[in-house]
Structure formats: structure tokens, C-alpha cells
Amino acid sequence: MLTELAEDDARGATAEIFAEIRELYATPYVSSIHRHMATRPGVLEWSWDATAPLFRSGVAQETAWRIAGTAALKPLAPIPREALAVWGVSAADIPKISAVAESFTRVAPLNLVFGGIVRRLLQGKSAGARAMKGAAAWSPPAPLAPPPPMVAAASLADAERRLLELFRSGSGDTAFVPGLYRMLAHWPGLLAHLAAALRPSFESSEKQTVASDLLARIDAAVDELLVTLPAPTRPAPSAVEAKHLLGMIDGYRVTSPEMILFGRLIREALPR
């Protein structure tokens, strides 16, 4: 499983980078891709130094959200309030769950651009150092409400832990359960329903086609954005570290489109 640095444990430069990511991503938490990088000496500092100009200008966010906004799957059947109540989801919980789902549709596209730039640099592509055509004064949207904490699998009963494991992605030291499901694990009845409702889509031809098209458009945008970046000022990771990071980013290229597509499905299936 991927190691992660808890946000509360971040200090110094790491804490500063985490704070800037929360601000520019307009979300109240830091994604696992950044929290994992923070456990590898110098990696978060190098990757954020390399990509931050795109996020500070707002170009990365607006590009990613525009592309992701057109990606969608066939909707899920609406979830009745009566079913949610049986699963222990109160009326007050519904907007919290909706905000969790929305946060991943907001964050995952940005992680694809972030990971895409880092991936290209690790593959030997050079930043172009061409003047960036970003907005002079970009402001992120209002942040979403703080989500529930991610549930630690070790804290769950056996049946609930096995349920959460159904959502595991990848294998070996780059395997992980995406944060969306770790947050929804607070409502195991709902998570069980989603395991049944979403899993047919995991390998469906529709999902594969939409996700592949989304990745292709993100990759094309990344190549255009790369030439607007200045060269990184910090030393690049070693060849061994680069191999690990590329494997990790490849894992996120599977799960990030799922977070965009499934996060939207979950949000739209909830009662208004």
C-alpha cells in the first residue's frame, strides 16, 4: 500500500505546500498523491516547484475542469431517502456525502494535470520556459465544506474491511483504496450499495471509452502546458525514485478518471 503523510503531521516546507494545494485546489484536504510524495525525500518539493506556476495562474485548474466537465457515464438509478435511512444515512448526512462526491470531481482532474506534468518530466521531457498566458489575477472557487476523515481500514470490522477492499486499485507498494471510498466508509450500507451499483461499470466498455478519451484530452493539454513552464529549479529524482513515481502515477491514471465519473454518478443519484 502507498505510504502517506497525514496532513496534521506535515511540518515546514511540506506544511506550506499542503496549505497552498488546499487553497489552489479549493478543497479542504490534500490528495493522497501529494501525501505519498511527501513521504519520499525531496519529491513533493521538486514536483510542486515544477508544476506550481500552472496552478498559481489558474491555467491548470480551468483546463482540467473544462475537459472533465464533458466526461460522463449513464446515470445510476436515484437512491430513495427511505433506503438511505435504513442504511444509517440521515437527512443531514446527504449534503455531506454530496460534498464528498463533488470534491473528487473537483480534485481528480487537477491531479491528472499535476501527475501528467510530473510524468512527462520524469520521462525526460523538458519544460519550454515559454511565457505563460494565464489570467493575471485568478482566484479559486469557494472551498467545499470539510469532509469526514478517511476511515482507516484497520479500524473496521472484518466484513466492512473486506467491503472497502473491493475498491482497491493497483497492486504491490503502489496499491491503494481511493479516498472517495475511504470517506464513504462512514456509511457502510451506502458503500455496500455502491459496490453493487458501480462495480459493473469498473470494466465496462462505456467506462473504458470515456476514461480513455478523458486521458487523451488531458495528455494533449499537458503537452501544451508543459512548454509554458520554466525549468524546475530543484534536482530531479533518481532513476530508482522516478521508476516508483511513474508506477504510482500510472495507478492514478486509472483511478482519477473513475473519481471524476463515479463521483458525479454518486452525487447525481442522491436525493436533491
Side-chain angles (χ1 to χ4, degrees):
M1 288 286 288
L2 286 178
T3 55
E4 298 175 359
L5 178 69
E7 292 182 59
D8 290 343
D9 294 335
R11 299 290 184 272
T14 300
E16 293 175 4
I17 292 172
F18 278 8
E20 187 171 25
I21 290 171
R22 283 191 292 266
E23 176 187 1
L24 296 178
Y25 273 47
T27 54
Y29 62 87
V30 176
S31 296
S32 57
I33 188 172
H34 301 106
R35 289 186 284 110
H36 173 65
M37 286 182 168
T39 68
R40 320 284 293 192
V43 169
L44 180 67
E45 293 85 349
W46 169 79
S47 60
W48 188 243
D49 172 72
T51 59
L54 287 172
F55 289 92
R56 291 170 183 152
S57 71
V59 172
Q61 294 91 317
E62 296 299 336
T63 299
W65 290 332
R66 172 179 51 79
I67 293 172
T70 63
L73 298 175
K74 180 181 177 182
L76 296 177
I79 304 174
R81 290 180 182 272
E82 294 79 3
L84 291 168
V86 169
W87 296 333
V89 179
S90 70
D93 289 332
I94 294 173
K96 297 177 186 177
I97 295 169
S98 179
V100 166
E102 183 179 354
S103 73
F104 282 86
T105 65
R106 178 179 291 189
V107 169
L110 307 189
N111 286 343
L112 282 174
V113 170
F114 169 79
I117 294 289
V118 171
R119 182 169 172 259
R120 287 287 191 256
L121 293 173
L122 292 173
Q123 291 170 335
K125 301 291 185 180
S126 299
R130 193 173 71 195
M132 188 181 298
K133 299 179 180 179
W138 183 83
S139 296
L144 298 168
M150 294 186 189
V151 172
S155 69
L156 296 172
D158 286 347
E160 293 177 3
R161 183 168 60 251
R162 289 194 297 271
L163 171 65
L164 190 59
E165 286 294 316
L166 293 177
F167 297 95
R168 180 190 290 269
S169 179
S171 61
D173 65 355
T174 59
F176 67 106
V177 176
L180 172 61
Y181 310 117
R182 292 164 63 187
M183 291 180 185
L184 296 181
H186 288 281
W187 299 276
L190 173 62
L191 192 64
H193 167 72
L194 294 173
L198 290 176
R199 281 185 67 79
S201 296
F202 276 49
E203 302 299 331
S204 71
S205 58
E206 179 197 25
K207 181 255 184 178
Q208 299 296 337
T209 298
V210 175
S212 294
D213 179 67
L214 172 61
L215 286 175
R217 288 184 288 141
I218 288 286
D219 287 345
V222 162
D223 288 338
E224 293 179 1
L225 294 173
L226 185 63
V227 300
T228 71
L229 280 172
T233 61
R234 294 176 177 270
S238 68
V240 172
E241 189 68 69
K243 181 179 179 181
H244 169 81
L245 293 172
L246 286 170
M248 181 266 294
I249 291 170
D250 283 346
Y252 276 90
R253 285 171 62 83
V254 174
T255 58
S256 291
E258 290 178 357
M259 296 301 95
I260 295 166
L261 298 171
F262 296 162
R264 183 169 296 134
L265 290 180
I266 294 167
R267 190 182 74 240
E268 294 177 351
L270 293 169
R272 299 294 181 185

